Amino acid sequence: MGKKIGVFVCHCGTNISATVDVEKVAEEAKKKYPGVSYATTYKYMCSDPGQKLLREKIEEEGLTGVVVAACSPKMHERTFRNAAVKTGLNPYQVEVSNIREQCSWVHHDKALGTEKSIDLVRMMTEKARKDRSLDSIKVPVTKRALVIGGGIAGIQAALDIADGGIEVILVEKDASIGGHMAQLSETFPTLDCSQCILTPRMVEVAQHENIKLYTWSEIESVGGYIGNFDVKIRKKARSVDLDLCTGCSSCWQVCPSKKIKSDFEMNLGNRTAIYIPFPQAIPSKPVIDREHCLLFRDARKKGIPPAESKVCRKCYDVCPIAPVKAIDYSHEDEIVEEKVGAIVVATGYQELKNNLYGEYGKGKYADVITGLQFERLASASGPTEGLIKRPSDGKEPEIVVFIQCVGSRDPAKGCSYCSKTCCMYTAKHTMLYKHKVHHGHAFVFYIDIRCGGKNYEEFSLRAIEEEGATYLRGRVSRIYKKGDKLIVLGADTLTGSQVEIEADMVVLASAMKAQDDAEDVARKLSIQYDKDRFFSELHPKLRPVESSNAGIFLAGACQGPKDIPETVAQASGAASKVQALLSSDELEREPVVARVDRLPPPLFSTCIGCFYCQRVCPYGAIEQEDIKARDGSVIKTVARVNVGLCQGCGLCAATCRSKSVELEGFNDEQVFAEINSVEFN
Amino acid sequence: MKIGYYPGCAITRGSSSEEYGMSVMKVSQVVGPVIEEIPDWNCCGASSAHATNHKLSTALSVRNLSLAEKYEYKEILAPCPMCSQRLIISQKDVQDDEALRKEVEDAIEMPCGSSVKVSNYLEIIKNYCMDEIAQKIKKSAKGLKVACYYGCLLVRPPKVLKFDDPEDPQSMDEIVKAIGAQPVDWEFKTNCCGGGFTLSRTDVVVKLTNDILEGAVEAGADAIAVACPMCHANLDMRQKKIEKEYKRKFNIPIVYISELIGLSLGLGSIGLGLDKHFVDTKSVVNAYS
Amino acid sequence: MKIKINLSERSSDFAKEVEKRSGIKVKECYQCGKCTAGCPVAYEMDYMPNQIIRLVQIGARREALTSRTIWLCASCITCSTRCPKEVKIAELMDVLREMALEENLANPLEKNITAFHESFLNSVKKHGRISEVWMLNEYKMKRPKTALQDLVVAPQMIGKGKLSFLPHNIKGKDAISRIFKKCKPK
């Protein structure tokens, strides 16, 4: 029976109609395309009247297939399919022909654009003629979530999900949760203390009955698919039993290795080999840094098990827990497995390392510090207890130069984007400095001041107008040392002059960069990332918290530079996505999956069992199936697709040598019909 | 292996910086590599050409590369950084710009020399002579503190020259260390001396070189080592004028790196041209014992 | 200073012309001023290096080409080396100087510099190499006021055998003068 296909050409305002003669496309379709019994155009097909038009015409004209010529199917395929379903039409009888992104937006010549659109629509009607009705696949859902990263993004997401009654696994690679926010002194634009607003949230995490916390742990691998992920977590050897330890602090007080540079203090302070990163750490229980611990160093040198080394066992000896001590030198990495239905990635950022700018000394001047280092100097719990002292000699700096855009907006140094937070935190730094050193002078070199946020502009103006920071418009070309001063060579383009400042300290507003292991994490999760290695959102406007892999969501600076309010908002957004996903017992999945054919005996299947498909499948969705005789003996082993895992990428179908694999909705017959419909001149 | 030698106008015999050329020759006779003057080379045009006529500048430079190729040199040494920089940039320009290449070939009446490698003096020493120097070193100047001054042309533009860190180069420092003197860490390694303005805007040169001399003295240097005839002329020949202008005394010898290597190999100071300097070099010569 | 922009003067063509001639992406400069900050000669300039680029960007042809700055640039390439946008600023100065000469706009206040370049190239044209004495001679004839400053060092140089009075003519000097002829600016 011939199909009755309706073609609906969208103007998209003027997005399409400016470059494509939509009326002509509809006319051609009706006149010339086989199977087309109705064609029309409409200003906005995706709007309510547009969808109504679609529904009405399906019913009035008795359409059995639909082609909507509009924007990308990524945008509105689901919209049109849902509209069609209401009339009783199978959603997979609805096709979208992309004449916007792939035609009107990329062409200028209207005649050519029209001609191309006519071709594109013809191709899709040919495919629609061969469309089969498909039923969506239902899969059960594991009602637990994984949050990767215990900074403010991860904390917020975990708490929001857990508050909704869903169990959360929170994995943090460091010894404590808290992330970069725990390092900050005060926060813009209110100057409230970072610790005061963060640490209560950390405690909530620790005490929440729905949150299972793994610190000092990393994601080993992620398998499965939306609704049903299998996660392996590597619990790194902590050398301290978290169940036994009470966090009494005896061990880190006696540890003899006291001069290890503290990461948390951005190398401005020291810690011991058995340590908690900072006093408010969660959990408040230590970890042994095996690289620096005397016992582990000795054991490595001698090639003996650590427990046999006798060099130093002070922490073990002092541990008051009995009868079994909380310290265990023989701890080893442990892999635990968890099943979850959704994942939030909140792995954060790193500050640009202080060794990229040769002209600023490549990190060789002690008094040229980064933004996070300044946070530690200004923090009441920092190495100077909040006094602004320069690292080289502990002197109070009387002239401090702040340089913005270090590593940001600097394609020559491999980073073209704006880090977005530096204008604000530099304004904050000048205030913190002036509050602590009243007679001090703060100079800021900037290119542009970008303070787009609620109360942000006012905040940065306050730094200039009320707190007395002097802003100079220009980049700094060079910093060098002269005596105990740093000579800063800059410019003020507003007066058209060079500016030379004899400074006591320089603070670099260093860029926010993707984590070193971002690509590795992306690979484990099969999610996409951009040229700067930040994870990509599915749609820059409408799907900002979804990753390219269904069921995996993004929160915070792992997706791009962000400040705290924006991070928290995104984390809550991701959490609500997770809750929506996990609120149903079953998930409907698109039936666009591969199938390996099955035939009546004696052939059973044309599959020859080479399993090339298994090798190319990125999702591990190809399984082996034995086809058995009645007596149980194996007749042949053939491939079978696990439709729960299959993402419909089609690699197996393309690889199959015996043409036994077919991708539903994109089978050979349909694709060839599309191609053959184009008249090549 | 033989290396083509492109002395350039400034360091050839009878020129203002002939001691650089003399010492380069003397050193190569002891520690190699064999260098042979490219027949009939011409001036690269220096600043005056590139500042006023890009095509002329490119053609003048490329003619020398084409000659080098004609005489089958795979690598040439241009001890003057002005020359080496011009030759390398011109080579790249004709490689990148087909129209320019045709124009240049029409002007020089030869195919463009595109494959010959142009090396500066520090590269030649580092790539071919370090082992030889280690074996043949006769004297060292322990305690002689040397500020290695690279100037502009050895390191900039870094993406074309691909030589050393443009902000804190180390090649000359490593050579100084290898010949038993002590390089000082200082801040003016690649600051500009005013280069070609020595005649036309002497005032600019005097100001810039004063900063450099001051930086070296403050870092505790006994001498400044250079590998560029213009840097040398501005720091050495103009030192008296700088002292007069700024009413101070530097009296710091400015020596070519080749002269220092020569001294460490036990070569005579006269043969190395150390008597041709304006600022007395005796303190440096005497430091080698 | 006032820059007039209207259709008839089509001032934006200047930036295009410079870009086309040099391949330097003048439009990419976002005026951060790092070139100015690090320029060793900026203190003598009438326009800062970033302002020269700005003049080109907005089509102020005359202001750019008559500036002293383009002649004062020492070609040390510090600006291009540190430019975050990799704009070849030093190389841009070369192009602007070339254009200024072609259009007879070179600033007379920097005549010392242009006269030096002329004397230098004349020597190359004549001999194929620089003959320092004769180049100096021509320059001092052109700029007699500068004669005094080198009176001290010149005799000393002669004494040290560093200034040869015999110009060295290379064999291919005819080839060199043909190069000059073919590379003559339009």
Side-chain angles (χ1 to χ4, degrees), chain A residues 146 148 218-224 229-234 335-338 340 343 520-521 523-526:
Chain A
L146 169 73
I148 308 171
E218 284 172 32
I219 299 301
E220 185 75 7
S221 69
V222 176
F229 292 105
D230 298 304
V231 184
K232 288 197 175 115
I233 299 163
R234 175 178 293 272
I335 306 287
V336 292
E337 293 183 26
E338 298 281 2
V340 295
I343 299 174
D520 195 34
V521 170
R523 218 169 292 124
K524 282 177 185 163
L525 295 162
S526 302

PDB file of all heavy atoms in Angstrom, chain A residues 146 148 218-224 229-234 335-338 340 343 520-521 523-526:
ATOM      1  N   LEU A 146      25.476   9.010  41.072  1.00  0.00           N
ATOM      2  CA  LEU A 146      26.896   9.189  41.371  1.00  0.00           C
ATOM      3  C   LEU A 146      27.252  10.647  41.119  1.00  0.00           C
ATOM      4  O   LEU A 146      26.873  11.213  40.093  1.00  0.00           O
ATOM      5  CB  LEU A 146      27.737   8.295  40.450  1.00  0.00           C
ATOM      6  CG  LEU A 146      29.240   8.547  40.432  1.00  0.00           C
ATOM      7  CD1 LEU A 146      29.898   8.052  41.719  1.00  0.00           C
ATOM      8  CD2 LEU A 146      29.901   7.882  39.224  1.00  0.00           C
ATOM      9  N   ILE A 148      30.650  12.976  40.813  1.00  0.00           N
ATOM     10  CA  ILE A 148      32.116  12.894  40.767  1.00  0.00           C
ATOM     11  C   ILE A 148      32.682  14.273  41.061  1.00  0.00           C
ATOM     12  O   ILE A 148      32.491  15.220  40.299  1.00  0.00           O
ATOM     13  CB  ILE A 148      32.607  12.414  39.383  1.00  0.00           C
ATOM     14  CG1 ILE A 148      31.886  11.124  38.982  1.00  0.00           C
ATOM     15  CG2 ILE A 148      34.112  12.197  39.401  1.00  0.00           C
ATOM     16  CD1 ILE A 148      32.161  10.703  37.552  1.00  0.00           C
ATOM     17  N   GLU A 218      39.049   7.639  43.232  1.00  0.00           N
ATOM     18  CA  GLU A 218      38.883   8.099  41.852  1.00  0.00           C
ATOM     19  C   GLU A 218      38.044   7.116  41.056  1.00  0.00           C
ATOM     20  O   GLU A 218      37.928   5.951  41.421  1.00  0.00           O
ATOM     21  CB  GLU A 218      40.261   8.263  41.188  1.00  0.00           C
ATOM     22  CG  GLU A 218      40.971   9.514  41.665  1.00  0.00           C
ATOM     23  CD  GLU A 218      42.408   9.612  41.177  1.00  0.00           C
ATOM     24  OE1 GLU A 218      42.689   9.118  40.072  1.00  0.00           O
ATOM     25  OE2 GLU A 218      43.221  10.169  41.924  1.00  0.00           O
ATOM     26  N   ILE A 219      37.471   7.620  39.967  1.00  0.00           N
ATOM     27  CA  ILE A 219      36.672   6.758  39.097  1.00  0.00           C
ATOM     28  C   ILE A 219      37.613   5.901  38.270  1.00  0.00           C
ATOM     29  O   ILE A 219      38.502   6.401  37.587  1.00  0.00           O
ATOM     30  CB  ILE A 219      35.770   7.605  38.169  1.00  0.00           C
ATOM     31  CG1 ILE A 219      34.797   8.454  38.984  1.00  0.00           C
ATOM     32  CG2 ILE A 219      35.010   6.703  37.186  1.00  0.00           C
ATOM     33  CD1 ILE A 219      33.867   7.664  39.886  1.00  0.00           C
ATOM     34  N   GLU A 220      37.428   4.619  38.341  1.00  0.00           N
ATOM     35  CA  GLU A 220      38.272   3.690  37.594  1.00  0.00           C
ATOM     36  C   GLU A 220      37.670   3.453  36.210  1.00  0.00           C
ATOM     37  O   GLU A 220      38.350   3.558  35.205  1.00  0.00           O
ATOM     38  CB  GLU A 220      38.363   2.378  38.378  1.00  0.00           C
ATOM     39  CG  GLU A 220      39.301   1.360  37.775  1.00  0.00           C
ATOM     40  CD  GLU A 220      40.763   1.703  38.002  1.00  0.00           C
ATOM     41  OE1 GLU A 220      41.058   2.665  38.742  1.00  0.00           O
ATOM     42  OE2 GLU A 220      41.615   1.022  37.426  1.00  0.00           O
ATOM     43  N   SER A 221      36.376   3.127  36.201  1.00  0.00           N
ATOM     44  CA  SER A 221      35.726   2.928  34.906  1.00  0.00           C
ATOM     45  C   SER A 221      34.220   3.099  35.055  1.00  0.00           C
ATOM     46  O   SER A 221      33.685   2.991  36.161  1.00  0.00           O
ATOM     47  CB  SER A 221      36.029   1.529  34.364  1.00  0.00           C
ATOM     48  OG  SER A 221      35.373   0.566  35.167  1.00  0.00           O
ATOM     49  N   VAL A 222      33.592   3.417  33.936  1.00  0.00           N
ATOM     50  CA  VAL A 222      32.141   3.545  33.927  1.00  0.00           C
ATOM     51  C   VAL A 222      31.603   2.722  32.759  1.00  0.00           C
ATOM     52  O   VAL A 222      32.025   2.911  31.625  1.00  0.00           O
ATOM     53  CB  VAL A 222      31.704   5.020  33.763  1.00  0.00           C
ATOM     54  CG1 VAL A 222      30.183   5.113  33.648  1.00  0.00           C
ATOM     55  CG2 VAL A 222      32.187   5.860  34.934  1.00  0.00           C
ATOM     56  N   GLY A 223      30.708   1.791  33.048  1.00  0.00           N
ATOM     57  CA  GLY A 223      30.079   1.002  31.993  1.00  0.00           C
ATOM     58  C   GLY A 223      28.583   1.240  32.036  1.00  0.00           C
ATOM     59  O   GLY A 223      28.081   2.004  32.861  1.00  0.00           O
ATOM     60  N   GLY A 224      27.889   0.589  31.129  1.00  0.00           N
ATOM     61  CA  GLY A 224      26.432   0.695  31.154  1.00  0.00           C
ATOM     62  C   GLY A 224      25.919   1.919  30.435  1.00  0.00           C
ATOM     63  O   GLY A 224      26.613   2.494  29.589  1.00  0.00           O
ATOM     64  N   PHE A 229      24.120   2.522  35.068  1.00  0.00           N
ATOM     65  CA  PHE A 229      25.577   2.596  34.929  1.00  0.00           C
ATOM     66  C   PHE A 229      26.234   1.665  35.936  1.00  0.00           C
ATOM     67  O   PHE A 229      25.781   1.526  37.067  1.00  0.00           O
ATOM     68  CB  PHE A 229      26.079   4.019  35.194  1.00  0.00           C
ATOM     69  CG  PHE A 229      25.660   5.017  34.151  1.00  0.00           C
ATOM     70  CD1 PHE A 229      24.648   5.934  34.408  1.00  0.00           C
ATOM     71  CD2 PHE A 229      26.297   5.057  32.912  1.00  0.00           C
ATOM     72  CE1 PHE A 229      24.271   6.867  33.461  1.00  0.00           C
ATOM     73  CE2 PHE A 229      25.926   5.996  31.959  1.00  0.00           C
ATOM     74  CZ  PHE A 229      24.907   6.903  32.225  1.00  0.00           C
ATOM     75  N   ASP A 230      27.330   1.028  35.488  1.00  0.00           N
ATOM     76  CA  ASP A 230      28.154   0.234  36.405  1.00  0.00           C
ATOM     77  C   ASP A 230      29.448   0.994  36.621  1.00  0.00           C
ATOM     78  O   ASP A 230      30.190   1.236  35.675  1.00  0.00           O
ATOM     79  CB  ASP A 230      28.466  -1.133  35.805  1.00  0.00           C
ATOM     80  CG  ASP A 230      27.200  -1.924  35.565  1.00  0.00           C
ATOM     81  OD1 ASP A 230      26.458  -2.104  36.543  1.00  0.00           O
ATOM     82  OD2 ASP A 230      26.946  -2.312  34.402  1.00  0.00           O
ATOM     83  N   VAL A 231      29.687   1.405  37.856  1.00  0.00           N
ATOM     84  CA  VAL A 231      30.837   2.255  38.132  1.00  0.00           C
ATOM     85  C   VAL A 231      31.828   1.516  39.005  1.00  0.00           C
ATOM     86  O   VAL A 231      31.452   0.895  40.004  1.00  0.00           O
ATOM     87  CB  VAL A 231      30.387   3.543  38.854  1.00  0.00           C
ATOM     88  CG1 VAL A 231      31.563   4.479  39.050  1.00  0.00           C
ATOM     89  CG2 VAL A 231      29.277   4.232  38.075  1.00  0.00           C
ATOM     90  N   LYS A 232      33.089   1.556  38.598  1.00  0.00           N
ATOM     91  CA  LYS A 232      34.149   1.025  39.457  1.00  0.00           C
ATOM     92  C   LYS A 232      34.907   2.205  40.050  1.00  0.00           C
ATOM     93  O   LYS A 232      35.317   3.118  39.339  1.00  0.00           O
ATOM     94  CB  LYS A 232      35.100   0.144  38.651  1.00  0.00           C
ATOM     95  CG  LYS A 232      34.492  -1.175  38.247  1.00  0.00           C
ATOM     96  CD  LYS A 232      35.573  -2.151  37.825  1.00  0.00           C
ATOM     97  CE  LYS A 232      34.938  -3.509  37.550  1.00  0.00           C
ATOM     98  NZ  LYS A 232      35.042  -3.894  36.140  1.00  0.00           N
ATOM     99  N   ILE A 233      35.065   2.183  41.373  1.00  0.00           N
ATOM    100  CA  ILE A 233      35.723   3.286  42.071  1.00  0.00           C
ATOM    101  C   ILE A 233      36.993   2.767  42.714  1.00  0.00           C
ATOM    102  O   ILE A 233      36.977   1.733  43.392  1.00  0.00           O
ATOM    103  CB  ILE A 233      34.790   3.867  43.160  1.00  0.00           C
ATOM    104  CG1 ILE A 233      33.516   4.419  42.489  1.00  0.00           C
ATOM    105  CG2 ILE A 233      35.486   4.952  43.972  1.00  0.00           C
ATOM    106  CD1 ILE A 233      32.370   4.646  43.462  1.00  0.00           C
ATOM    107  N   ARG A 234      38.089   3.492  42.464  1.00  0.00           N
ATOM    108  CA  ARG A 234      39.349   3.105  43.108  1.00  0.00           C
ATOM    109  C   ARG A 234      39.495   3.877  44.413  1.00  0.00           C
ATOM    110  O   ARG A 234      39.651   5.099  44.411  1.00  0.00           O
ATOM    111  CB  ARG A 234      40.541   3.406  42.193  1.00  0.00           C
ATOM    112  CG  ARG A 234      41.906   3.144  42.849  1.00  0.00           C
ATOM    113  CD  ARG A 234      43.052   3.396  41.892  1.00  0.00           C
ATOM    114  NE  ARG A 234      43.041   2.429  40.805  1.00  0.00           N
ATOM    115  CZ  ARG A 234      43.646   1.237  40.856  1.00  0.00           C
ATOM    116  NH1 ARG A 234      44.321   0.889  41.938  1.00  0.00           N
ATOM    117  NH2 ARG A 234      43.573   0.409  39.839  1.00  0.00           N
ATOM    118  N   ILE A 335      39.196  -1.660  44.811  1.00  0.00           N
ATOM    119  CA  ILE A 335      38.203  -1.289  43.805  1.00  0.00           C
ATOM    120  C   ILE A 335      36.815  -1.672  44.311  1.00  0.00           C
ATOM    121  O   ILE A 335      36.583  -2.831  44.668  1.00  0.00           O
ATOM    122  CB  ILE A 335      38.460  -2.023  42.462  1.00  0.00           C
ATOM    123  CG1 ILE A 335      39.888  -1.799  41.963  1.00  0.00           C
ATOM    124  CG2 ILE A 335      37.421  -1.612  41.417  1.00  0.00           C
ATOM    125  CD1 ILE A 335      40.175  -0.437  41.418  1.00  0.00           C
ATOM    126  N   VAL A 336      35.926  -0.683  44.378  1.00  0.00           N
ATOM    127  CA  VAL A 336      34.556  -1.017  44.760  1.00  0.00           C
ATOM    128  C   VAL A 336      33.637  -0.767  43.576  1.00  0.00           C
ATOM    129  O   VAL A 336      33.914   0.080  42.730  1.00  0.00           O
ATOM    130  CB  VAL A 336      34.066  -0.187  45.976  1.00  0.00           C
ATOM    131  CG1 VAL A 336      34.805  -0.580  47.232  1.00  0.00           C
ATOM    132  CG2 VAL A 336      34.217   1.297  45.720  1.00  0.00           C
ATOM    133  N   GLU A 337      32.554  -1.522  43.502  1.00  0.00           N
ATOM    134  CA  GLU A 337      31.631  -1.359  42.392  1.00  0.00           C
ATOM    135  C   GLU A 337      30.301  -0.814  42.891  1.00  0.00           C
ATOM    136  O   GLU A 337      29.817  -1.210  43.936  1.00  0.00           O
ATOM    137  CB  GLU A 337      31.417  -2.711  41.685  1.00  0.00           C
ATOM    138  CG  GLU A 337      32.684  -3.186  41.005  1.00  0.00           C
ATOM    139  CD  GLU A 337      32.510  -4.487  40.238  1.00  0.00           C
ATOM    140  OE1 GLU A 337      31.373  -4.782  39.810  1.00  0.00           O
ATOM    141  OE2 GLU A 337      33.512  -5.203  40.096  1.00  0.00           O
ATOM    142  N   GLU A 338      29.774   0.125  42.132  1.00  0.00           N
ATOM    143  CA  GLU A 338      28.480   0.702  42.484  1.00  0.00           C
ATOM    144  C   GLU A 338      27.608   0.754  41.236  1.00  0.00           C
ATOM    145  O   GLU A 338      28.099   1.001  40.138  1.00  0.00           O
ATOM    146  CB  GLU A 338      28.647   2.136  43.027  1.00  0.00           C
ATOM    147  CG  GLU A 338      29.464   2.256  44.303  1.00  0.00           C
ATOM    148  CD  GLU A 338      28.692   1.892  45.573  1.00  0.00           C
ATOM    149  OE1 GLU A 338      27.497   1.508  45.449  1.00  0.00           O
ATOM    150  OE2 GLU A 338      29.274   1.986  46.668  1.00  0.00           O
ATOM    151  N   VAL A 340      24.516   2.793  39.492  1.00  0.00           N
ATOM    152  CA  VAL A 340      23.757   4.045  39.594  1.00  0.00           C
ATOM    153  C   VAL A 340      22.951   4.268  38.314  1.00  0.00           C
ATOM    154  O   VAL A 340      23.251   3.694  37.272  1.00  0.00           O
ATOM    155  CB  VAL A 340      24.679   5.275  39.823  1.00  0.00           C
ATOM    156  CG1 VAL A 340      25.393   5.191  41.151  1.00  0.00           C
ATOM    157  CG2 VAL A 340      25.673   5.440  38.684  1.00  0.00           C
ATOM    158  N   ILE A 343      24.616  10.164  36.573  1.00  0.00           N
ATOM    159  CA  ILE A 343      25.931  10.631  37.023  1.00  0.00           C
ATOM    160  C   ILE A 343      26.007  12.144  36.878  1.00  0.00           C
ATOM    161  O   ILE A 343      25.593  12.702  35.862  1.00  0.00           O
ATOM    162  CB  ILE A 343      27.058   9.978  36.196  1.00  0.00           C
ATOM    163  CG1 ILE A 343      27.032   8.454  36.364  1.00  0.00           C
ATOM    164  CG2 ILE A 343      28.434  10.536  36.591  1.00  0.00           C
ATOM    165  CD1 ILE A 343      28.008   7.706  35.478  1.00  0.00           C
ATOM    166  N   ASP A 520      41.062  12.248  30.232  1.00  0.00           N
ATOM    167  CA  ASP A 520      40.971  10.895  30.767  1.00  0.00           C
ATOM    168  C   ASP A 520      39.574  10.632  31.345  1.00  0.00           C
ATOM    169  O   ASP A 520      38.948   9.602  31.076  1.00  0.00           O
ATOM    170  CB  ASP A 520      42.050  10.767  31.855  1.00  0.00           C
ATOM    171  CG  ASP A 520      42.291   9.333  32.235  1.00  0.00           C
ATOM    172  OD1 ASP A 520      42.190   8.482  31.333  1.00  0.00           O
ATOM    173  OD2 ASP A 520      42.555   9.070  33.425  1.00  0.00           O
ATOM    174  N   VAL A 521      39.091  11.602  32.125  1.00  0.00           N
ATOM    175  CA  VAL A 521      37.755  11.476  32.713  1.00  0.00           C
ATOM    176  C   VAL A 521      36.702  11.417  31.604  1.00  0.00           C
ATOM    177  O   VAL A 521      35.777  10.596  31.629  1.00  0.00           O
ATOM    178  CB  VAL A 521      37.478  12.667  33.663  1.00  0.00           C
ATOM    179  CG1 VAL A 521      36.015  12.695  34.096  1.00  0.00           C
ATOM    180  CG2 VAL A 521      38.391  12.602  34.882  1.00  0.00           C
ATOM    181  N   ARG A 523      37.037  10.378  28.602  1.00  0.00           N
ATOM    182  CA  ARG A 523      37.098   9.083  27.918  1.00  0.00           C
ATOM    183  C   ARG A 523      36.378   8.013  28.746  1.00  0.00           C
ATOM    184  O   ARG A 523      35.621   7.225  28.213  1.00  0.00           O
ATOM    185  CB  ARG A 523      38.566   8.704  27.687  1.00  0.00           C
ATOM    186  CG  ARG A 523      38.791   8.015  26.352  1.00  0.00           C
ATOM    187  CD  ARG A 523      40.266   7.881  26.028  1.00  0.00           C
ATOM    188  NE  ARG A 523      40.898   9.174  25.764  1.00  0.00           N
ATOM    189  CZ  ARG A 523      41.955   9.636  26.424  1.00  0.00           C
ATOM    190  NH1 ARG A 523      42.501   8.927  27.405  1.00  0.00           N
ATOM    191  NH2 ARG A 523      42.479  10.794  26.116  1.00  0.00           N
ATOM    192  N   LYS A 524      36.617   8.022  30.043  1.00  0.00           N
ATOM    193  CA  LYS A 524      35.958   7.023  30.902  1.00  0.00           C
ATOM    194  C   LYS A 524      34.441   7.159  30.848  1.00  0.00           C
ATOM    195  O   LYS A 524      33.712   6.191  30.943  1.00  0.00           O
ATOM    196  CB  LYS A 524      36.424   7.186  32.352  1.00  0.00           C
ATOM    197  CG  LYS A 524      37.800   6.586  32.596  1.00  0.00           C
ATOM    198  CD  LYS A 524      38.261   6.839  34.012  1.00  0.00           C
ATOM    199  CE  LYS A 524      39.679   6.327  34.184  1.00  0.00           C
ATOM    200  NZ  LYS A 524      40.317   6.882  35.385  1.00  0.00           N
ATOM    201  N   LEU A 525      33.965   8.391  30.717  1.00  0.00           N
ATOM    202  CA  LEU A 525      32.525   8.637  30.747  1.00  0.00           C
ATOM    203  C   LEU A 525      31.914   8.708  29.355  1.00  0.00           C
ATOM    204  O   LEU A 525      30.701   8.878  29.225  1.00  0.00           O
ATOM    205  CB  LEU A 525      32.249   9.963  31.475  1.00  0.00           C
ATOM    206  CG  LEU A 525      32.607  10.000  32.962  1.00  0.00           C
ATOM    207  CD1 LEU A 525      32.701  11.430  33.455  1.00  0.00           C
ATOM    208  CD2 LEU A 525      31.575   9.235  33.776  1.00  0.00           C
ATOM    209  N   SER A 526      32.752   8.612  28.318  1.00  0.00           N
ATOM    210  CA  SER A 526      32.293   8.791  26.926  1.00  0.00           C
ATOM    211  C   SER A 526      31.526  10.089  26.754  1.00  0.00           C
ATOM    212  O   SER A 526      30.444  10.124  26.176  1.00  0.00           O
ATOM    213  CB  SER A 526      31.405   7.624  26.474  1.00  0.00           C
ATOM    214  OG  SER A 526      32.082   6.426  26.582  1.00  0.00           O
TER     215      SER A 526
END
